Amino acid sequence: MNKRSTEPNRTRRDLLKAGAIAAASLSAPSILLAGAPYVPSRRAYDLVLRGGAVLDGSGTPARRLDIAVTAGRIVAMQPAVADRGTEEIDARGMTVAPGFIDIHSHGDGGLRDDPRMESVIRQGITSIVVGADGSSRFSGDAGNSFAAWEARTNALRPSVNIASMIGLGTVRGAVVGESDRRASASEMARMTAMVERAVSEGACGASSGLEYTPGAFASESELVALCRPLSARGLSYATHMRNEDDQLLESIDESIAVARGARCGLQVSHLKQQGTRNWSKIDACFARLRAARAEGIAAWFDVYPYVAYATGLTNLFPTWSRDGGDAAFLARLADPATAPRIRQEVLAKVELIGGWDNVQISRVARAEDRDAEGKRLGTWAAAQQQDPYEAVVGLLRRNNTDVGMLGFAMSEDNLDRLLAHEFSMVCSDGGGFAIDGPTRRGSPHPRGAGTFPRVLGRYVRERRALSLEQAVHRMTARPASRVRLSDRGLLAVGMAADIVVFDPATVSDTATFANPFQYPVGIVHVVVNGYWSLRNGERPGDGTGRVLRVAS
């Protein structure tokens, strides 16, 4: 097969090489380093940020620069921009970086209820990539296309930019349904056409969720066929793999095989090693991805900085038990022919992650069960004087399976290594919510409010797992290049003006598993498409984000 580059795309690299940025090192003399910032008399720009330590996203050290913005684009980057802006920001003592790009987000889930997307923008995130884990808001057919979704989303005036993959689970559900069966030739042709249509209209890749139904029922050959439309466009296959614990390595092998067969890039979603007996597999994970690179596959992974994952409570149950949808699943829980086997497999899964108190209920559908939210399952079941397994079955029955959970199963030492690895990108895998209003519900994973500041605070400043330059690169230019957002992810003349200004000495998350509804600190200003989305920690007005199309 042809070799594919694992470097950021050439257009972006050449932009930096060509010297489009007039830059100076931190040691260079500047009139901004002492006293009041220099403010010239002539007004020529919409916005000028002065005197910040600029990390341009490329991974190189910071430089002291002014950045001028006009009409949503960066138009000058110099040690001292000569002309004034209509608005001026003194960024001395702060780090100025490209707006963060969340390569794996579910931040669009509450968009219709609350387009402010407070927990997203307050992390410094200016663009999110949704449609992950095999599930997208469009299926790619004529009645539910990318273009139709784009129009609906833009009408909501989101606070951040939104790119989307096409979810292969959504595609399978629309064509094959919820059953565990092989797709027919005509169904395969229809599903392939849906993927082709989505990427031709601007979707930025395709995703699978192979622990979720109906995506779990797709074979490797089906996934290869559905990912082939990605190849010619330089897009990647992002996968929530079939297993992330005892069958982790086999699942990585399958993921690589799909990318190899489809001749496309690979993005392993939220790479982790679940359960203490699997923590030692981290080196084997890296070795497999490195071997894939050696044969020409652009293999990457994303990771969030927490030791717990979030999923549906049904994910504790074997895939075969969920064949046919919710009604069939609930029936099997009561069927004497299947119930004992299901119970046995669930108890084995719970033992693997360390026991019932390593499961925390994050949300329920019924108001009558709200007291379970935020509780560790073992402790909660004991308070109800119930066996934990029976308590789980009862919750699922009463809520028609609509129950969320967090699972505490990962190693923080492994997190250090995952974040620092040369193939990694930072993701939240989180939703968008606010501390007030309609999206404040349940007890969600704190990653939805804290991921990016947590990396900068805990893993850069405190644990020193990676440098600030490396962290910013994994949050900006690298994810932008993976999903072909060619004018995002770098601070350079001509690029879109998505900018974050933060205090590297104080930036930190405050959301916790016990109290997730807390915003981070240290994120001072956020600019989206040249307009303020956060200024001095305050929201100035309507959202200025939009759907981002990838050119076909």
Side-chain angles (χ1 to χ4, degrees), residues 136-450:
S136 55
R137 309 279 168 188
F138 55 91
S139 62
D141 62 17
N144 186 19
S145 65
F146 177 95
W149 166 80
E150 177 184 29
R152 294 193 304 269
T153 302
N154 282 338
L156 296 172
R157 302 185 70 177
S159 289
V160 301
N161 302 309
I162 306 175
S164 184
M165 298 178 282
I166 175 75
L168 300 184
T170 299
V171 171
R172 185 173 231 274
V175 175
V176 180
E178 296 293 322
S179 297
D180 183 5
R181 67 171 178 84
R182 186 184 184 91
S184 68
S186 62
E187 289 170 334
M188 284 300 304
R190 182 181 168 195
M191 289 194 291
T192 303
M194 290 162 71
V195 175
E196 176 66 41
R197 174 174 182 155
V199 296
S200 69
E201 290 182 342
C204 63
S207 75
S208 68
L210 302 183
E211 284 192 307
Y212 303 119
T213 59
F217 305 138
S219 66
E220 181 183 307
S221 61
E222 176 178 314
L223 295 169
V224 168
L226 296 186
C227 287
R228 285 196 177 116
L230 306 176
S231 179
R233 295 174 174 84
L235 299 174
S236 293
Y237 165 59
T239 178
H240 176 135
M241 298 186 296
R242 213 171 286 277
N243 184 272
E244 296 176 317
D245 47 65
D246 288 350
Q247 301 301 310
L248 168 64
L249 300 181
E250 293 83 352
S251 296
I252 292 178
D253 290 341
E254 180 188 39
S255 304
I256 293 169
V258 171
R260 180 188 297 118
R263 301 175 66 84
C264 67
L266 172 65
Q267 178 185 331
V268 175
S269 297
H270 41 64
L271 181 61
K272 62 177 73 73
Q273 300 79 33
Q274 283 184 27
T276 54
R277 68 188 184 221
N278 294 305
W279 290 354
S280 63
K281 294 178 179 177
I282 185 170
D283 289 310
C285 293
F286 293 157
R288 278 165 164 76
L289 294 174
R290 194 173 299 281
R293 289 256 185 135
E295 62 175 279
I297 297 170
W300 302 84
F301 65 86
D302 56 56
V303 57
Y304 49 79
Y306 295 90
V307 297
Y309 61 89
T311 189
L313 190 59
T314 55
N315 208 40
L316 290 177
F317 291 73
T319 302
W320 64 264
S321 70
R322 292 176 268 147
D323 181 10
D326 292 341
F329 168 65
L330 292 173
R332 289 188 188 98
L333 294 181
D335 186 343
T338 53
R341 179 185 169 194
I342 294 173
R343 180 186 181 110
Q344 181 181 20
E345 293 192 33
V346 170
L347 293 179
K349 174 75 171 181
V350 171
E351 180 184 12
L352 175 124
I353 66 173
W356 285 109
D357 269 349
N358 275 359
V359 177
Q360 179 172 314
I361 300 301
S362 59
R363 60 172 173 77
V364 296
R366 291 176 77 245
E368 295 83 352
D369 286 317
R370 293 278 160 75
D371 68 301
E373 291 178 339
K375 305 286 179 54
R376 297 299 181 111
L377 210 152
T379 301
W380 179 78
Q384 309 298 310
Q385 298 184 323
Q386 284 187 289
D387 170 78
Y389 178 79
E390 296 303 328
V392 165
V393 171
L395 275 175
L396 291 172
R397 286 193 181 284
R398 293 192 301 274
N399 291 273
N400 195 32
T401 76
D402 188 10
V403 183
M405 64 160 278
L406 312 181
F408 293 79
M410 286 92 83
S411 156
E412 188 161 35
D413 287 341
N414 278 10
L415 276 181
D416 287 340
R417 297 185 62 198
L418 289 163
L419 287 165
H421 197 273
E422 61 183 311
F423 302 164
S424 74
M425 296 174 285
V426 174
C427 79
S428 77
D429 192 17
F433 50 80
I435 62 173
D436 60 354
T439 57
R440 180 176 178 136
R441 50 182 177 246
S443 184
H445 197 302
R447 64 194 185 186

Side-chain angles (χ1 to χ4, degrees), residues 71-122:
R73 295 277 163 179
I74 297 171
V75 293
M77 290 181 64
Q78 299 166 3
V81 166
D83 294 323
R84 288 181 59 195
T86 301
E87 295 189 79
E88 297 257 342
I89 289 294
D90 180 3
R92 290 175 301 166
M94 300 291 173
T95 296
V96 182
F100 302 144
I101 298 171
D102 190 346
I103 191 70
H104 180 124
S105 170
H106 301 282
D108 59 331
L111 182 59
R112 190 167 295 276
D113 292 334
D114 189 351
R116 293 178 300 165
M117 306 178 78
E118 291 280 6
S119 70
V120 178
I121 201 72
R122 289 179 181 275

Side-chain angles (χ1 to χ4, degrees), residues 23-33 63-64 79:
S25 71
L26 281 171
S27 60
S30 171
I31 57 175
L32 297 176
L33 294 180
R63 296 161 292 176
R64 193 79 62 187

